Amino acid sequence: FKGFAMKRLNEIGWVEKEVPECGPMDAIIKPTCVSPCTSDIHTVWEGAIGDRRDMILGHEAVGEVVEVGSMVKKFKPGDRVIVPAITPDWDDEAAQRGFPSQTTEPLGGWKFSNFKDGVFGERFHVNMADANLTFIPDGLSDEGACMLTDMWSTGMMGSENANIPLGGTVLVIGIGAVGLSAIAGAKCLGAGRLFAAGTRPISVEVAKKYGATDIINYKNGPIDEQVRELTDGAGVDSVVIAGGNLENTWAEAIKSAKAGGTVSNVNYLSGADNVLIPRVEWGCGMSNINITNGLCPGGAVRMERLADLALCGRQDPELLVTHKFKGLEKIEDALLLMKDKPKDLIKPVVMLDID
Ligand code: NAD
Ligand code: ZN
């Protein structure tokens, strides 16, 4: 079958592959809607995970089951399913300790477009189908469901890890799809005043719809200075880093947080070897400002809960979708759009109709 791949660092193109073997607990899926992720851009053009040869890209998809292994109980061919970007090995010890995204090795729950072929092809393989897949519920569109697989799951985790007190103040730095999802999550988790640092007009619009109360333009000066001014010097309880760079952003986050506050990172760090944390503002390491981080949570229960947030009208995942393509061959355009990040873009999706 055909798939769109990273051929090597800095090079993308189409490849032909054999349909992977379906193990006894696994499933083979035909995608019906996929979306490129900023992480695909880090992978191909920034070498963030090193070289990969002829690896099919993509890890955000919903689709139709075409084959299941002999031990799979919940699913059968023809079922329409949400496929989480992260598909842990649920029997691994890290999963038993409560960190399923880190099973077998650091980031090991991230398989698609990391160390096995991703979802940008006519078929792909899912491990542990019963634990990882979930049905697309009535009332949720394919493109809406596709936004749960990575964007909502990652961004909302950023807010869960930020220990937001009920009514607490929150700052989200970077308002691409991940930061916007962090805002949506922060509102659900009870944030009071909610600052969004970003500039893209389309993102600012969605940030407000998701619950941001104040917009900070990071091009107008350091974010922490603007936050301190807007809060009469107090700072915020929780910061989520979902964009920015290694030179300034971590310092701005630390300097924005109150004592006892949390800085929660979801950004995929690349571009330099070290993160700069300002020693004095971090209380010489004694400030009680905590730093947390994590990889997108995966698995069926996570997807079901996120779907419920959409179905119960708490937040709308479709607000993230700004561009819609049709047909497998358009995956290349969608990926390049994600690389170029035009001002009117949050997320592109590709609707697939392949039989
Ligand atoms: P994005 O590029 O659309 O959004 C990042 C935003 O940050 C952009 O709008 C950019 O303009 C803005 N920005 C740039 N410089 C800034 C600065 N100095 N201060 C504030 N904002 C600044 O990306 P996205 O798709 O929303 O993804 C965000 C990050 O999350 C990426 O690094 C992505 O790879 C990562 N990610 C992590 C996980 C995970 O599991 N932890 C999962 C998915 C994506
Ligand atoms: Zn991703």
Side-chain angles (χ1 to χ4, degrees):
F1 69 91
K2 248 173 82 173
F4 195 71
M6 166 171 183
K7 297 206 130 175
R8 59 180 62 79
L9 280 177
N10 300 309
E11 193 184 326
I12 52 174
W14 292 96
V15 291
E16 277 290 331
K17 296 257 179 161
E18 300 279 306
V19 176
E21 205 173 306
C22 182
M25 299 171 79
D26 306 343
I28 303 297
I29 308 291
K30 173 178 90 165
T32 53
C33 175
V34 299
S35 179
C37 176
T38 303
S39 301
D40 292 310
I41 309 304
H42 294 308
T43 300
V44 178
W45 287 283
E46 294 165 23
I49 54 172
D51 200 7
R52 297 285 190 276
R53 296 295 166 105
D54 291 338
M55 177 187 69
I56 296 178
L57 290 163
H59 48 259
E60 300 179 21
V62 302
E64 191 185 307
V65 175
V66 292
E67 187 185 345
V68 292
S70 57
M71 291 168 74
V72 172
K73 297 188 200 91
K74 265 164 61 184
F75 302 98
K76 57 179 188 326
D79 287 340
R80 295 179 62 251
V81 290
I82 304 178
V83 185
I86 304 300
T87 52
D89 299 289
W90 292 96
D91 53 358
D92 184 78
E93 64 88 27
Q96 297 191 32
R97 287 189 292 106
F99 298 94
S101 296
Q102 315 291 349
T103 41
T104 66
E105 62 182 279
L107 311 186
W110 174 24
K111 301 184 189 324
F112 300 125
S113 71
N114 181 6
F115 51 80
K116 81 173 188 187
D117 281 326
V119 303
F120 290 171
E122 289 166 299
R123 296 287 185 275
F124 63 87
H125 167 271
V126 178
N127 61 300
M128 291 195 151
D130 281 335
N132 282 319
L133 296 175
T134 194
F135 297 102
I136 303 177
D138 291 338
L140 198 57
S141 66
D142 276 14
E143 59 269 38
C146 194
M147 292 300 109
L148 311 183
T149 60
D150 187 6
M151 298 299 98
W152 265 28
S153 192
T154 299
M156 292 194 185
M157 172 198 71
S159 286
E160 291 170 282
N161 288 350
N163 301 315
I164 299 170
L166 185 68
T169 42
V170 179
L171 163 67
V172 176
I173 301 181
I175 51 172
V178 172
L180 291 169
S181 302
I183 292 169
K187 179 169 181 204
C188 292
L189 291 161
R193 203 164 171 195
L194 181 36
F195 299 93
T199 54
R200 263 188 269 169
I202 179 77
S203 292
V204 167
E205 198 181 299
V206 176
K208 288 179 182 159
K209 287 187 183 155
Y210 272 168
T213 57
D214 297 73
I215 306 295
I216 290 175
N217 184 338
Y218 62 88
K219 294 181 177 160
N220 291 346
I223 294 169
D224 52 290
E225 286 177 17
Q226 299 189 58
V227 165
R228 293 280 169 185
E229 200 174 310
L230 289 163
T231 57
D232 291 327
V236 297
D237 295 295
S238 303
V239 183
V240 181
I241 300 179
N245 56 54
L246 293 182
E247 299 82 58
N248 310 316
T249 306
W250 284 66
E252 290 174 304
I254 295 281
K255 289 194 219 171
S256 297
K258 293 178 187 178
T262 303
V263 172
S264 161
N265 179 70
V266 291
N267 209 11
Y268 179 162
L269 306 181
S270 64
D273 286 335
N274 295 293
V275 171
L276 296 181
I277 293 173
R279 182 181 61 85
V280 173
E281 286 85 351
W282 200 33
C284 307
M286 300 177 281
S287 62
N288 280 117
I289 295 171
N290 300 302
I291 296 177
T292 62
N293 66 91
L295 173 67
C296 173
V301 170
R302 177 70 172 181
M303 293 301 119
E304 282 159 19
R305 288 181 174 165
L306 296 177
D308 268 353
L309 286 180
L311 294 171
C312 298
R314 307 284 180 212
Q315 298 285 10
D316 179 1
E318 281 188 41
L319 292 178
L320 298 177
V321 179
T322 52
H323 293 66
K324 246 189 228 189
F325 293 92
K326 251 189 149 170
L328 187 72
E329 68 286 355
K330 288 293 188 331
I331 284 177
E332 179 165 15
D333 294 347
L335 184 69
L336 291 173
L337 196 67
M338 204 61 191
K339 178 168 185 266
D340 295 342
K341 295 259 156 82
K343 282 205 168 351
D344 61 344
L345 174 84
I346 300 177
K347 283 285 274 193
V349 293
V350 185
M351 314 299 291
L352 306 169
D353 198 27
I354 39 175
D355 259 308

